[in-house]
Amino acid sequence: MEKIRRTKIVDLLKREDYGSQVCVKGWVRTKRGSKAVNFIALNDGSTIKNVQVVADVEKFDPEMMKLITTGACLSVVGEMVQSIGSGQNVEVQASEIEVLGDCPADYPMQKKGQTMEYMRQHAHMRLRTNTFGAVFRIRHNMAIAIHKFFHDKGFYYFHTPLITASDCEGAGEMFQVTTKNLYDLKKDENGQIIYSDDFFGKMTSLTVSGQLEGELGATALGQIYTFGPTFRAENSNTPRHLAEFWMIEPEVCFIDLPDLMDLEEEFIKYCVQWALDNCQDDLEFLNKMIDNGLIERLKGVVSTDFVRLPYTEGIRILEDAVKNGRKFEFPVSWGCDLASEHERYLVEEHFKKPVIMIDYPKDIKAFYMKQNEDGKTVQGTDVLFPQIGEIIGGSVREESYEKLMKRIDEMNIPMKDMWWYLDTRKYGSCPHGGFGLGFERLILFVTGMQNIRDVIPFPRTPKTAEF
Ligand code: 4AD
Ligand code: MG
């Protein structure tokens, strides 16, 4: 018999050539029915939707039929027929069923309605559930949207190293990279570890940001973006922090703060609109099962103007709120780094829209940010989002060699590892700026998921690196 090529379920459900012979392959979601006829819901990951396979029991080997359980992998050949009861237009009247992989009863995704924590403990199998299928199809779509946005605007995708000898954010939250024998570390007379015989001949770590190298790219190619993994050894056990996350970092020459904010706003709106246009089925599922306000919130963001708020003004609003009886866990006053509860108050309660906060006190921001005339603040910009808090962090960069050097001195940043970065300010320095979007925080927003561990396939957090 002529081999029938497999049709992906996403394609099959769009077809109308009823009567054709088709082949579908996928995993059993449910099986129900009577002694005479079984209905098998099959999913192959190409869409949130299942196709219904109808099997007249007497036509098949009873031993084989017993192997068709939730999670089993099947290949089915049959006639594509119009369906009335399955929720789709199409179903498959099976003539041949082959069990490609059976699935014993201890399959961890056997039961519906497990907690998210249970899912994380079975992260290798949770991918096969409806929820995680939807999340990771959306994640893919967001990656495509990001490349398309920047490519269409003439940005170049620029690859920055993951292993580095410098600490971009200066927070000391880096994972070391070494081939040294940790049981036998050689130290000098001051008790300092000797790195000259290590693989790179110096102390190296996994990068916390591609920005510094990105600035080199931008000051040559005009405008670039990076999109890659970044690593932070911060011991934050929150629903918004990962030790390994993906960041998108555009860097643009000849840009000022207002234009930078425009770019941030346009970029996020583009991504959210892309999801609304291209991920409808998955969003509808998540809207129904995870977060009833999701689609409305996404539509709200694309149609609203983001607030632009100087830090000093934001602090005033928060102080007024405290005066009027609003309780926060952390105190708030000029100079403090805003806690997530403060950011969310501004966004969710006060303005009820996304906020781009600017002009932060220099002491709570990184060394590279452009200093304002007041001597106290810098041209940093954080985009604050409902549910998420900070989704973007960026700035105009200090382009003056002298001012930058002075700041590096004040902050005691080790200079010897930074000489190549300073060359951007020495040779043909130019005004420039950029930002970093936390990819998983965008996915959190777009999917309505509550915990960042559930929007990356295999999360890395303190004490977790199982899968
Ligand atoms: O604000 P951050 O630290 O800024 C930078 O790294 C700059 N070098 C970016 C730039 O200007 N090119 O981080 C940027 C974004 C944050 O706004 C947040 O969305 C995300 O990265 N982020 C994290 N996401 C998940 N887990 C973590 N531990 C994160 N830390 C930062
Ligand atoms: Mg930040």
Side-chain angles (χ1 to χ4, degrees):
M1 196 179 128
E2 198 188 327
K3 184 182 164 203
I4 302 171
R5 289 184 62 181
R6 173 173 92 102
T7 308
K8 277 191 289 171
I9 291 170
V10 68
D11 299 327
L12 182 75
L13 295 180
K14 288 183 208 141
R15 283 169 58 175
E16 288 180 352
D17 51 330
Y18 305 113
S20 302
Q21 287 293 307
V22 295
C23 169
V24 287
K25 300 185 185 190
W27 293 269
V28 176
R29 282 290 153 85
T30 55
K31 182 173 86 166
R32 57 187 180 82
S34 61
K35 281 210 177 82
V37 52
N38 279 185
F39 300 99
I40 303 159
L42 206 64
N43 188 285
D44 67 0
S46 62
T47 160
I48 187 91
K49 292 178 179 161
N50 303 325
V51 70
Q52 174 158 285
V53 173
V54 184
D56 294 330
V57 174
E58 58 166 25
K59 287 197 212 150
F60 298 97
D61 171 9
E63 288 309 308
M64 188 278 293
M65 289 303 279
K66 274 192 216 152
L67 296 177
I68 303 178
T69 57
T70 297
C73 185
L74 307 185
S75 172
V76 177
V77 172
E79 185 184 332
M80 183 183 136
V81 294
Q82 195 157 12
S83 170
I84 359 158
S86 76
Q88 318 291 354
N89 291 330
V90 178
E91 63 187 29
V92 177
Q93 182 69 49
S95 53
E96 290 169 40
I97 301 177
E98 185 186 348
V99 177
L100 298 176
D102 66 346
C103 188
D106 61 354
Y107 175 50
M109 298 296 123
Q110 183 82 255
K111 274 210 244 134
K112 286 191 170 178
Q114 298 281 14
T115 63
M116 286 293 159
E117 185 52 40
Y118 175 88
M119 293 291 183
R120 277 170 223 139
Q121 284 159 9
H122 301 87
H124 61 311
M125 286 289 137
R126 69 176 180 169
L127 307 173
R128 293 194 196 170
T129 64
N130 284 334
T131 300
F132 289 92
V135 167
F136 296 121
R137 277 186 297 271
I138 292 174
R139 189 178 161 110
H140 159 79
N141 268 284
M142 288 297 90
I144 298 298
I146 287 162
H147 284 299
K148 182 146 171 51
F149 176 83
F150 286 117
H151 176 72
D152 287 354
K153 279 190 171 302
F155 284 62
Y156 296 106
Y157 181 27
F158 188 70
H159 292 112
T160 51
L162 300 192
I163 299 175
T164 168
S166 54
D167 180 358
C168 174
E169 295 305 300
E173 291 165 337
M174 303 186 83
F175 290 101
Q176 272 196 50
V177 174
T178 181
T179 52
K180 278 186 159 296
N181 177 356
L182 298 180
Y183 296 101
D184 182 22
L185 280 177
K186 290 195 194 66
K187 300 190 178 165
D188 66 14
E189 59 273 23
N190 302 318
Q192 301 287 314
I193 296 165
I194 299 170
Y195 282 102
S196 55
D197 63 348
D198 200 358
F199 190 91
F200 295 106
K202 55 164 66 174
M203 185 173 146
T204 50
S205 305
L206 295 176
T207 191
V208 296
S209 158
Q211 180 195 322
L212 301 185
E213 296 89 349
E215 286 185 48
L216 294 168
T219 54
L221 304 174
Q223 44 187 24
I224 61 93
Y225 68 104
T226 72
F227 188 170
T230 45
F231 307 86
R232 295 197 185 177
E234 52 189 335
N235 202 359
S236 306
N237 256 311
T238 82
R240 284 178 306 278
H241 287 87
L242 289 166
E244 177 180 298
F245 63 100
W246 288 63
M247 195 163 22
I248 297 93
E249 294 185 275
E251 192 69 34
V252 191
C253 287
F254 318 115
I255 196 166
D256 59 12
L257 191 58
D259 286 351
L260 187 62
M261 289 190 280
D262 285 348
L263 183 67
E264 292 170 342
E265 183 168 341
E266 190 190 344
F267 172 49
I268 298 195
K269 285 180 171 170
Y270 181 93
C271 292
V272 173
Q273 187 64 51
W274 185 279
L276 287 166
D277 293 344
N278 295 281
C279 309
Q280 215 177 338
D281 293 344
D282 288 323
L283 285 179
E284 274 166 17
F285 173 82
L286 293 169
N287 195 73
K288 194 162 127 220
M289 304 303 290
I290 301 286
D291 177 349
N292 293 150
L294 175 63
I295 292 179
E296 204 180 313
R297 199 159 54 245
L298 299 184
K299 287 184 176 161
V301 158
V302 288
S303 62
T304 194
D305 289 335
F306 295 6
V307 175
R308 290 154 193 230
L309 181 74
Y311 169 92
T312 303
E313 176 70 13
I315 292 293
R316 200 186 52 71
I317 293 169
L318 289 163
E319 283 175 339
D320 283 351
V322 172
K323 269 187 218 138
N324 291 327
R326 180 67 161 78
K327 297 262 181 297
F328 293 111
E329 193 184 335
F330 298 99
V332 49
S333 63
W334 201 95
C336 78
D337 207 353
L338 294 186
S340 169
E341 55 172 346
H342 305 134
E343 296 173 341
R344 292 184 63 171
Y345 172 82
L346 291 170
V347 172
E348 290 165 26
E349 294 177 46
H350 188 83
F351 290 109
K352 299 192 171 63
K353 3 162 134 181
V355 170
I356 310 185
M357 192 175 262
I358 52 166
D359 295 332
Y360 284 84
K362 63 179 179 188
D363 291 332
I364 59 170
K365 289 291 180 190
F367 72 97
Y368 50 70
M369 295 196 182
K370 186 174 174 68
Q371 298 157 34
N372 280 322
E373 298 289 326
D374 62 12
K376 290 191 298 196
T377 59
V378 289
Q379 292 188 13
T381 133
D382 281 6
V383 180
L384 311 178
F385 249 53
Q387 313 271 318
I388 310 292
E390 180 190 334
I391 193 165
I392 279 182
S395 77
V396 177
R397 318 305 186 191
E398 181 54 69
E399 85 251 27
S400 149
Y401 183 83
E402 286 72 32
K403 284 192 190 161
L404 187 62
M405 283 298 286
K406 195 162 159 268
R407 196 70 193 128
I408 286 175
D409 271 355
E410 281 169 8
M411 295 177 77
N412 285 319
I413 293 168
M415 280 289 304
K416 72 171 172 40
D417 297 325
M418 292 291 219
W419 64 271
W420 51 270
Y421 177 71
L422 292 168
D423 275 1
T424 52
R425 312 316 203 246
K426 215 156 132 191
Y427 304 118
S429 187
C430 74
H432 63 289
F435 62 83
L437 170 85
F439 189 48
E440 286 75 18
R441 294 202 185 165
L442 174 70
I443 310 296
L444 267 182
F445 181 72
V446 172
T447 58
M449 298 295 283
Q450 298 297 309
N451 193 312
I452 201 163
R453 293 165 179 80
D454 302 330
V455 296
I456 186 165
F458 304 105
R460 298 288 177 258
T461 52
K463 306 276 181 287
T464 335
E466 178 71 17
F467 302 101

